[in-house]
């Protein structure tokens, strides 16, 4: 049986006739697309995480125990869980300083490794009556009242079938589970301050007291402050030190943490962009070399097409279609490979980078897929330009006509 090959099918048949050359070209385009799509997706997720972190800040100033500033900053970004606390009535002392508009206290406890998570859980105690940082975010997704003994779980917390999580051997009912933020809050559970003594008691019963029993009902890890209009956060920190008479205080400026995180993120994105650019240039050079080499090998083939009546435009169109097919196939494989490397491991990537990292919404991902496919096809077309130019040259055209 004789199979007729039409002009429409000819580009695909040509690629199938040279499987090794075709595979090599597809692999190069695949690697370029993988780097472009994967790098762009990581950059988008990091910027999305930073935006989410900025939205969750709320406070202008945090007062923490001396030498715990780094731990407090880690809670704002994605640096793991910690336990630290004051042992005196710090909130009342701090609240008297000039320049404070709102003040609230939080208590941080790092749990043991729990069945609900791959790592330790950050327990955050807050006062719903005074809180202006966590409460607005929680109430946007949970309109009930958080009762004593109940928890609100972050998005990465695995809630059991009976709607509880187990911490320190005790099962806590889950009132609500929050949406993802891309920060350490996703690995946290939130309780009201009245629940903290119970948590300390449960931790003692399993032999790992989170806080000494005598401080269970008054331990506070941080005082979060919103300053009055016209006041600077650093000036308010000086007022607190001066007017409270306290020593050994540490201060964290969330705005500064955001700026530092943005600087680190911009540097990382810059490196990724540079890598993709260099990688693309190298890949394009390889593609140009392969297409140029193929031109010399295919002179007889092109001459045969001329004998059969193909015009110069027909030959150029053939090359363009072949390169577009290579770009499309390589692009699809590259996008699929990057997706398998990024989407299933979002939590691991976030943990390793220790930066806010939040998956971009589906619509933007679809748009990035389309852009990446255009990038792949355009790369293949760009690499075929040399061949197309040679075919357009009069001397090449005359050489091909010699076979007629």
């Amino acid at each position: 049986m004789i199979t007729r090959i039409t002009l429409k099918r000819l580009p695909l048949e040509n690629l199938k006739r040279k499987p090794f050359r075709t595979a090599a070209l597809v692999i190069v385009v695949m690697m370029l697309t993988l780097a472009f799509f994967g790098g762009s997706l990581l950059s988008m997720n990091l910027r999305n995480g930073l935006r989410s972190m900025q939205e969750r800040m709320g406070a202008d100033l945090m007062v923490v125990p001396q030498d715990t500033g780094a731990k407090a900053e880690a809670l704002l970004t994605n640096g793991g869980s910690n336990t630290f606390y004051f042992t005196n009535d710090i909130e009342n002392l701090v609240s008297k300083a000039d320049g404070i508009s709102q003040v609230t206290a939080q208590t941080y406890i790092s749990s043991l490794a729990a069945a609900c998570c791959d790592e330790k859980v950050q327990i955050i105690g807050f006062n719903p009556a005074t809180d202006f940082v966590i409460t607005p975010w929680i109430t946007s997704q949970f309109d009930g009242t958080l009762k004593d003994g109940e928890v609100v779980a972050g998005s990465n917390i695995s809630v059991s079938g009976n709607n509880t999580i187990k911490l320190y051997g005790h099962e806590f009912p889950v009132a609500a589970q929050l949406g993802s933020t891309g920060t350490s809050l996703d690995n946290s559970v939130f309780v009201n301050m009245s629940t903290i003594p119970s948590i300390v008691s449960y931790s003692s019963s399993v032999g790992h007291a989170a806080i000494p029993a005598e401080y269970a009902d008054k331990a506070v890890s941080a005082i979060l402050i919103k300053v009055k209009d016209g006041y600077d956060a650093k000036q308010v920190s000086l007022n607190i030190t001066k007017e409270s008479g306290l020593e050994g205080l540490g201060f964290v400026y969330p705005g500064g943490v955001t700026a530092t995180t943005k600087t680190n993120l911009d540097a990382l994105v810059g490196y990724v962009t540079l890598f993709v650019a260099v990688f693309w240039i190298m890949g394009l050079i390889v593609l140009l070399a392969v297409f140029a080499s193929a031109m010399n090998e295919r002179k007889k083939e092109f001459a045969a097409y001329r004998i059969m009546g193909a015009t110069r435009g027909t030959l150029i169109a053939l090359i363009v279609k072949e390169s577009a097919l290579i770009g499309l196939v390589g692009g699809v494989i590259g996008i699929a490979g990057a997706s398998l490397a990024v989407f299933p491991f979002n939590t691991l990537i976030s943990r390793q980078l220790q930066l806010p990292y939040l998956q971009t919404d589906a619509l933007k991902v679809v748009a990035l897929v389309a852009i990446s496919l255009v990038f792949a096809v355009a790369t293949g077309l760009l690499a075929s330009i040399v061949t197309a130019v040679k075919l357009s040259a009069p001397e090449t055209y005359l050489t091909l006509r010699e076979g007629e």
Side-chain angles (χ1 to χ4, degrees):
M1 181 178 177
I2 299 176
T3 303
R4 295 184 62 186
I5 299 176
T6 64
L7 192 60
K8 188 176 181 180
R9 288 184 54 196
L10 187 57
L12 179 60
E13 295 299 327
N14 282 342
L15 294 177
K16 289 166 65 176
R17 188 166 54 88
K18 294 286 186 178
F20 292 109
R21 184 180 68 196
T22 301
L25 292 169
V26 167
I27 288 172
V28 173
V29 175
M30 176 201 72
M31 294 300 293
L32 293 177
T33 309
L34 189 150
F36 177 82
F37 179 76
S40 299
L41 186 60
L42 286 174
S43 299
M44 289 170 65
N45 290 348
L46 285 167
R47 295 197 182 281
N48 210 26
L50 176 64
R51 188 161 48 251
S52 176
M53 184 183 80
Q54 290 171 328
E55 292 172 354
R56 302 286 173 259
M57 283 299 188
D60 301 311
L61 176 65
M62 292 175 67
V63 183
V64 297
Q66 193 175 39
D67 301 325
T68 62
K71 294 180 180 180
E73 289 181 7
L75 292 175
L76 297 175
T77 55
N78 212 355
S81 58
N82 285 291
T83 301
F84 53 91
Y85 52 90
F86 292 103
T87 58
N88 51 8
D89 189 9
I90 187 73
E91 185 176 4
N92 284 335
L93 293 171
V94 167
S95 63
K96 297 174 183 178
D98 185 35
I100 294 177
S101 173
Q102 289 179 272
V103 61
T104 189
Q106 292 183 356
T107 300
Y108 307 136
I109 296 175
S110 177
S111 80
L112 300 173
C116 65
C117 310
D118 296 329
E119 56 187 26
K120 294 180 179 180
V121 177
Q122 181 69 61
I123 301 169
I124 300 178
F126 70 105
N127 183 351
T130 61
D131 181 78
F132 57 89
V133 178
I134 295 174
T135 300
W137 171 45
I138 290 179
T139 54
S140 69
Q141 302 171 68
F142 169 60
D143 57 4
T145 300
L146 186 60
K147 300 175 183 177
D148 293 354
E150 289 185 335
V151 305
V152 173
S155 63
N156 290 343
I157 305 296
S158 297
V159 180
S160 66
N162 61 350
N163 204 39
T164 63
I165 62 168
K166 183 177 284 188
L167 298 170
Y168 294 118
H170 178 79
E171 289 192 347
F172 291 84
V174 177
Q177 187 158 24
L178 303 172
S180 181
T181 67
T183 68
S184 60
L185 295 179
D186 295 336
N187 300 313
S188 304
V189 296
F190 306 89
V191 300
N192 62 33
M193 281 296 198
S194 301
T195 305
I196 292 295
S198 299
I199 291 175
V200 173
S201 175
Y202 296 136
S203 70
S204 297
S205 66
V206 297
H208 293 275
I211 294 174
E214 61 267 30
Y215 302 127
D217 60 348
K218 61 182 178 181
V220 168
S221 302
I223 306 300
L224 284 74
I225 296 167
K226 183 176 285 293
V227 303
K228 291 181 179 178
D229 292 341
Y231 283 79
D232 177 76
K234 292 192 175 181
Q235 180 59 51
V236 172
S237 68
L238 293 175
N239 294 344
I240 291 171
T241 303
K242 180 180 178 181
E243 298 175 27
S244 67
L246 295 171
E247 296 181 357
L249 298 179
F251 297 96
V252 174
Y253 305 93
V257 175
T258 303
T260 301
T261 303
K262 185 178 185 303
T263 299
N264 293 338
L265 187 150
D266 288 342
L268 180 60
V269 171
Y271 288 132
V272 170
T273 303
L274 180 62
F275 167 77
V276 171
V278 172
F279 195 58
W280 181 79
I281 291 171
M282 293 174 62
L284 184 60
I285 291 172
V286 172
L287 289 173
L288 286 169
V290 172
F291 272 102
S293 175
M295 175 62 188
N296 293 325
E297 295 178 8
R298 300 181 69 180
K299 281 184 178 179
K300 290 183 179 179
E301 176 190 338
F302 292 143
Y305 294 147
R306 287 293 302 138
I307 292 172
M308 290 185 287
T311 65
R312 185 187 309 176
T314 301
L315 297 183
I316 293 174
L318 177 65
I319 295 296
V320 168
K321 289 177 183 177
E322 288 179 10
S323 60
L325 278 172
I326 289 170
L328 183 62
V329 173
V332 169
I333 297 173
I335 290 170
S339 298
L340 290 174
V342 174
F343 291 118
F345 302 106
N346 275 329
T347 301
L348 178 61
I349 293 170
S350 175
R351 191 183 308 153
Q352 292 300 316
L353 292 176
Q354 292 193 352
L355 287 169
Y357 183 92
L358 181 60
Q359 179 58 52
T360 304
D361 62 74
L363 187 61
K364 290 181 180 178
V365 172
V366 171
L368 181 59
V369 168
I371 292 170
S372 299
L373 283 177
V374 171
F375 166 83
V377 172
T379 299
L381 291 175
L382 188 59
S384 68
I385 284 178
V386 172
T387 303
V389 168
K390 284 189 175 182
L391 283 174
S392 300
E395 60 271 19
T396 304
Y397 183 67
L398 291 173
T399 301
L400 296 181
R401 286 182 60 87
E402 291 174 2
E404 295 185 34

